[in-house]
Amino acid sequence: MQSVNKDSIAIQFSCLAMAIITLIPFGRGNISGLEIAFPFSILSLFFFLLKKRKKNKHAFYIILFISLWSIWVLSGITYSYLYYPGSTDHIPAYLRYFRMLEMYIPGVLILAFSRGVNERQQKGIAFFFIALFVLVTLETSIGFFLQSQALTATQMYKYPGMGYVFRAGGVAKDSSAYSNLILLLGLTAFIELKRAGRNTLLFTMVLFCFLINIYLSMSRSLLVAVLVYFIFTLGLERKIKPLTLISIAVFIISLLIFGMNNEYFSSFWGRLSGANQQDISSGRFTTWTLLLGLVGDNPLLGVGYRLSTEKYGLIPDNMFLSLSVETGVVGLLLYLLFLLSLCAFVYKNNRGKFPLIMAYIISGIFIDISTFWVSVPLFLFTMSIYKKKDIQD
């Protein structure tokens, strides 16, 4: 009983950290929710470490590869600083590196040293994710309505109240990070609700919030990730209830009817079809071609973590190319080994979320998910939540 209480305290600290990271506005100022939440993540890890746990080889490899990757990234930044001192300001790169450690290290260690949750803890986590998803949706919706009169479908940048991003027909700062957050929050809420027991009202509410966020974010990568999730889910379960398909279809049709004559919907369709854009990727294909040519500048160590924009003025919008250019081929390999170890861990211990981790990784083709501090800690926490049958209340 005492060890379970310690685990419960650890989970509560993790949930508090996730709420702080998610709900504190991002994209404004130098202080983010990540810095404020960091002590609570460490406290969560401390309480998890109070209980002796069996060794897990998958957890060992996860820690090993993320540690090697972190060391390699630091080596790349230092190499760039020593050999190209006047080419760019390396201080921001070191600051981003320390933020990267805050993003990954607590979450990886919590995932490695937590060993499942009991039924009572799992239900609490399910309601936590649902409540958090609803709050995020409310924040975004409030911001949208506060500025709806001023927005037009041709504006490039608009920030709603509470700090969340509304995409108005263009590429708005942090909108990719927001869509990645929605992917994790929404699908985790669905998964945990399914595990806790079917509740039609809650299911409908989560689905409605998810569709609202798709509409407001106008994110194509989010749609692709959701499609990948459903494909992997059908592949694993080999079934889907007709009522679920009907519910999804009704909400989508209702949304389409509502937005038929709406300028934002028209803008969203333009983004999906590539109308009035350089190409359907909004110029990503051209950028990726240029980045492939830059890998050869330093194929071993890379140009330095998060320095591709500083040095070349290019935004990668692709995790694999970003890692290749900025951390070298070795850095890319180490990070892929980290993800592979994480996939093996999830498939063995948390198979219900295997489609989610695959959707998350594949979305990295279109956005650089490795650098989203607002979603990486949530991703690692989500993967650490699974029910263990031999844990008693």
Side-chain angles (χ1 to χ4, degrees):
M1 178 64 72
Q2 185 178 5
S3 62
V4 172
N5 287 337
K6 291 175 183 176
D7 283 352
S8 296
I9 294 172
I11 291 170
Q12 290 170 8
F13 274 121
S14 284
C15 288
L16 177 59
M18 295 306 107
I20 292 172
I21 292 172
T22 305
L23 295 176
I24 288 183
F26 62 86
R28 296 185 178 184
N30 296 320
I31 300 297
S32 66
L34 183 65
E35 285 75 21
I36 301 172
F38 184 76
F40 297 104
S41 297
I42 297 301
L43 283 172
S44 175
L45 176 61
F46 170 76
F47 279 100
F48 274 127
L49 289 172
L50 289 179
K51 182 178 179 180
K52 188 176 181 181
R53 321 228 176 216
K54 294 181 180 179
K55 294 181 179 180
N56 185 307
K57 66 176 182 179
H58 295 301
F60 168 77
Y61 286 119
I62 291 171
I63 295 175
L64 173 64
F65 289 126
I66 197 65
S67 299
L68 292 175
W69 180 69
S70 300
I71 295 171
W72 192 261
V73 169
L74 181 61
S75 301
I77 298 173
T78 304
Y79 175 86
S80 178
Y81 173 74
L82 293 175
Y83 289 91
Y84 304 98
S87 61
T88 187
D89 184 5
H90 289 82
I91 294 179
Y94 282 108
L95 293 177
R96 293 188 190 108
Y97 174 76
F98 286 113
R99 172 167 281 192
M100 182 201 80
L101 296 181
E102 292 178 327
M103 286 162 46
Y104 282 95
I105 301 305
V108 166
L109 293 177
I110 288 172
L111 181 143
F113 291 105
S114 61
R115 289 292 183 269
V117 295
N118 58 38
E119 186 175 351
R120 177 173 55 83
Q121 292 166 342
Q122 194 276 326
K123 287 182 178 180
I125 290 172
F127 288 116
F128 165 76
F129 270 99
I130 293 171
L132 190 59
F133 188 42
V134 171
L135 285 174
V136 167
T137 304
L138 284 173
E139 286 191 349
T140 309
S141 300
I142 289 171
F144 167 70
F145 284 112
L146 286 177
Q147 299 191 53
S148 59
Q149 297 301 317
L151 292 172
T152 66
T154 57
Q155 289 174 303
M156 290 298 291
Y157 299 98
K158 272 295 176 184
Y159 290 85
M162 308 293 184
Y164 285 106
V165 175
F166 169 74
R167 190 202 297 264
V171 181
K173 185 179 180 182
D174 284 327
S175 56
S176 296
Y178 178 68
S179 67
N180 198 238
L181 173 68
I182 292 305
L183 172 73
L184 293 170
L185 272 179
L187 293 185
T188 301
F190 277 123
I191 294 168
E192 297 301 333
L193 179 59
K194 181 180 178 181
R195 290 176 176 176
R198 289 284 184 179
N199 185 306
T200 304
L201 178 61
L202 290 177
F203 178 85
T204 303
M205 181 173 64
V206 172
L207 179 58
F208 186 66
C209 289
F210 202 89
L211 292 174
I212 288 175
N213 280 288
I214 289 177
Y215 181 74
L216 294 182
S217 69
M218 293 189 177
S219 173
R220 293 164 295 182
S221 60
L222 176 58
L223 293 176
V224 171
V226 171
L227 178 62
V228 170
Y229 171 80
F230 276 110
I231 291 173
F232 273 92
T233 299
L234 291 173
L236 287 176
E237 297 184 357
R238 298 179 182 177
K239 62 180 181 179
I240 184 169
K241 293 184 177 181
L243 181 61
T244 302
L245 286 175
I246 293 172
S247 300
I248 294 173
V250 168
F251 275 103
I252 291 176
I253 291 172
S254 300
L255 190 67
L256 291 177
I257 293 174
F258 169 76
M260 198 65 69
N261 298 313
N262 184 278
E263 62 175 337
Y264 302 106
F265 180 82
S266 300
S267 179
F268 192 14
W269 178 250
R271 287 183 57 75
L272 293 177
S273 62
N276 301 320
Q277 300 177 55
Q278 180 179 343
D279 54 54
I280 197 170
S281 70
S282 298
R284 282 181 170 88
F285 294 156
T286 302
T287 301
W288 294 347
T289 302
L290 294 173
L291 286 169
L292 282 172
L294 295 176
V295 174
D297 281 7
N298 193 338
L300 190 62
L301 288 167
V303 300
Y305 180 68
R306 304 293 301 276
L307 286 178
S308 59
T309 303
E310 301 284 342
K311 288 186 175 182
Y312 304 109
L314 298 174
I315 300 176
D317 277 328
N318 182 304
M319 175 186 71
F320 305 98
L321 278 174
S322 175
L323 290 170
S324 299
V325 173
E326 297 178 349
T327 68
V329 177
V330 176
L332 172 65
L333 177 62
L334 290 173
Y335 194 83
L336 291 180
L337 288 172
F338 159 69
L339 290 178
L340 182 62
S341 303
L342 191 55
C343 287
F345 175 89
V346 171
Y347 189 80
K348 179 180 179 181
N349 301 290
N350 201 356
R351 192 165 300 183
K353 289 179 181 171
F354 186 74
L356 177 56
I357 192 174
M358 294 307 299
Y360 177 82
I361 292 173
I362 290 175
S363 69
I365 297 174
F366 309 100
I367 51 180
D368 190 359
I369 57 174
S370 67
T371 61
F372 293 156
W373 63 260
V374 74
S375 55
V376 167
L378 185 70
F379 164 67
L380 294 170
F381 178 58
T382 296
M383 296 304 145
S384 69
I385 302 167
Y386 58 95
K387 291 181 71 173
K388 192 171 183 180
K389 296 179 180 179
D390 61 350
I391 295 180
Q392 304 296 325
D393 287 329

